[in-house]
Amino acid sequence: MKFEQKKIQAGDLSVSYLDEGTQTGSPIIFIHGFPFNKVMWEDQLDLLKGDYRVLAYDVRGHGDSNPGIQQFSIQQFVSDLFLFMDALYIKKAIVCGLSMGGYIALKAVQQDSDRIAGLILCDTQCTADTEEVKKKRSDTIHSVQANGLKQYTEDSVEKLFSKTSLANNKKIVSAIEGTILHTPIETIINTLMALAGRTETCSSLHLIKIPVLIMVGGEDRITPPEASQKMHELIPQSELYILEKSGHVSNLEAPESFNLHLQDFLKVANLEIV
Ligand code: MLT
């Protein structure tokens, strides 16, 4: 790990996080997807630490954050985010979430728009799970319970990455494999249930009054470009970029274009938080 890990108590959680950059800069909080952890954002922290306060934390049960005693749900993850911000005296932040991180960010802005200055939504969607997806998640839970994490990791990696990444970028593929294999089975199961139980946010996207950057891998099969296009049409101040040769983990698979759009967005939006 490039950066020093820190710990802070937020509600029932001992949250593991990275906190870099200028302490007087506007805070940007990065939220990872499932089943990853804060380490996936290291390059973005490195990129922005000169101008911003950049934070990435482990969602409940993931990475080095404990599972706590509350039941896992996207709503609970939103409460965790706000408690984490409270613990660090951060009143308002720019929030960047990938996939599940995006579900959390979208619910957070729906719940308390005063605390979010700007949104970066990566490889995510505003819809709830269809009955078919819920059934698949339940089958996955049974299979993980019966067979453990190895098969689950192999299946996940196949779906997560683009063909190009699978063939040419063994480094990121094996890094994500390692992350999944080190995630506790209980976290996988509890988070799959949380994802299946989430509610949609599409119906409130037209109310979002802050600048929003949407990015998605052109080959994302989990939250495909059409899902991002739909959010872009519904969010008034949004811009959308579809990143070539990337699957579901666009910040790792297409880092050059991802970082360029991220920096441009932050510069133009000029979201100074005092
Ligand atoms: C993620 O990357 O967070 C998950 O793929 C989201 C999901 O399964 O809905």
Side-chain angles (χ1 to χ4, degrees):
M1 185 150 353
K2 273 187 196 162
F3 302 113
E4 184 206 344
Q5 291 197 70
K6 299 180 176 169
K7 282 256 175 169
I8 196 158
Q9 193 65 31
D12 66 329
L13 282 193
S14 168
V15 181
S16 175
Y17 68 105
L18 308 173
D19 186 357
E20 295 294 325
T22 57
Q23 292 299 305
T24 50
S26 298
I28 310 179
I29 301 179
F30 290 85
I31 316 177
H32 61 80
F34 167 77
F36 316 137
N37 65 40
K38 60 185 179 309
V39 176
M40 72 173 298
W41 296 115
E42 277 188 336
D43 285 352
Q44 282 68 43
L45 265 50
D46 223 3
L47 177 82
L48 300 172
K49 68 181 194 293
D51 295 314
Y52 298 89
R53 177 176 179 189
V54 281
L55 303 106
Y57 70 98
D58 287 331
V59 173
R60 184 178 284 267
H62 296 75
D64 292 299
S65 289
N66 66 343
I69 51 167
Q70 302 293 341
Q71 199 179 340
F72 283 34
S73 68
I74 297 299
Q75 188 50 53
Q76 182 59 51
F77 297 163
V78 173
S79 305
D80 295 342
L81 166 65
F82 287 142
L83 285 171
F84 171 63
M85 289 169 70
D86 292 344
L88 291 168
Y89 302 101
I90 296 174
K91 285 206 185 88
K92 199 169 188 161
I94 300 158
V95 175
C96 173
L98 185 132
S99 199
M100 175 179 75
Y103 305 161
I104 299 169
L106 282 168
K107 270 264 171 257
V109 83
Q110 190 184 48
Q111 188 172 314
D112 193 350
S113 57
D114 286 346
R115 301 203 70 174
I116 320 273
L119 272 182
I120 300 135
L121 301 171
C122 325
D123 303 279
T124 193
Q125 59 193 353
C126 59
T127 47
D129 276 3
T130 59
E131 286 311 312
E132 193 190 336
V133 175
K134 282 185 190 174
K135 165 86 175 62
K136 272 196 199 145
R137 295 211 200 264
S138 149
D139 292 347
T140 306
I141 290 173
H142 290 126
S143 141
V144 168
Q145 280 166 333
N147 309 317
L149 275 187
K150 200 163 176 301
Q151 187 60 47
Y152 171 75
T153 305
E154 276 169 31
D155 296 345
S156 301
V157 162
E158 278 301 311
K159 277 185 258 156
L160 285 168
F161 293 104
S162 68
K163 287 198 178 66
T164 313
S165 303
L166 286 171
N168 304 332
N169 206 337
K170 298 275 183 254
K171 195 172 158 210
I172 58 164
V173 174
S174 53
I176 287 291
E177 258 167 8
T179 303
I180 303 178
L181 279 170
H182 280 97
T183 305
I185 286 196
E186 299 72 42
T187 292
I188 302 275
I189 291 171
N190 291 335
T191 312
L192 281 166
M193 288 198 274
L195 292 167
R198 77 183 190 282
T199 52
E200 61 83 33
T201 46
C202 308
S203 56
S204 60
L205 293 187
H206 66 287
L207 299 170
I208 297 180
K209 298 285 186 289
I210 51 175
V212 179
L213 167 65
I214 305 169
M215 291 190 274
V216 61
E219 295 175 42
D220 185 340
R221 284 170 288 154
I222 298 176
T223 50
E226 301 80 67
S228 284
Q229 182 66 42
K230 175 176 171 154
M231 293 192 294
H232 174 48
E233 281 160 21
L234 291 168
I235 303 176
Q237 276 188 74
S238 64
E239 50 190 283
L240 165 67
Y241 297 97
I242 298 174
L243 311 186
E244 272 180 33
K245 297 198 172 130
S246 172
H248 186 59
V249 206
S250 59
N251 71 314
L252 299 180
E253 297 187 73
E256 288 89 8
S257 41
F258 185 98
N259 290 343
L260 201 75
H261 295 309
L262 178 60
Q263 277 183 308
D264 280 356
F265 169 76
L266 291 168
K267 201 193 278 166
V268 172
N270 193 20
L271 301 165
E272 217 159 286
I273 302 165
V274 282

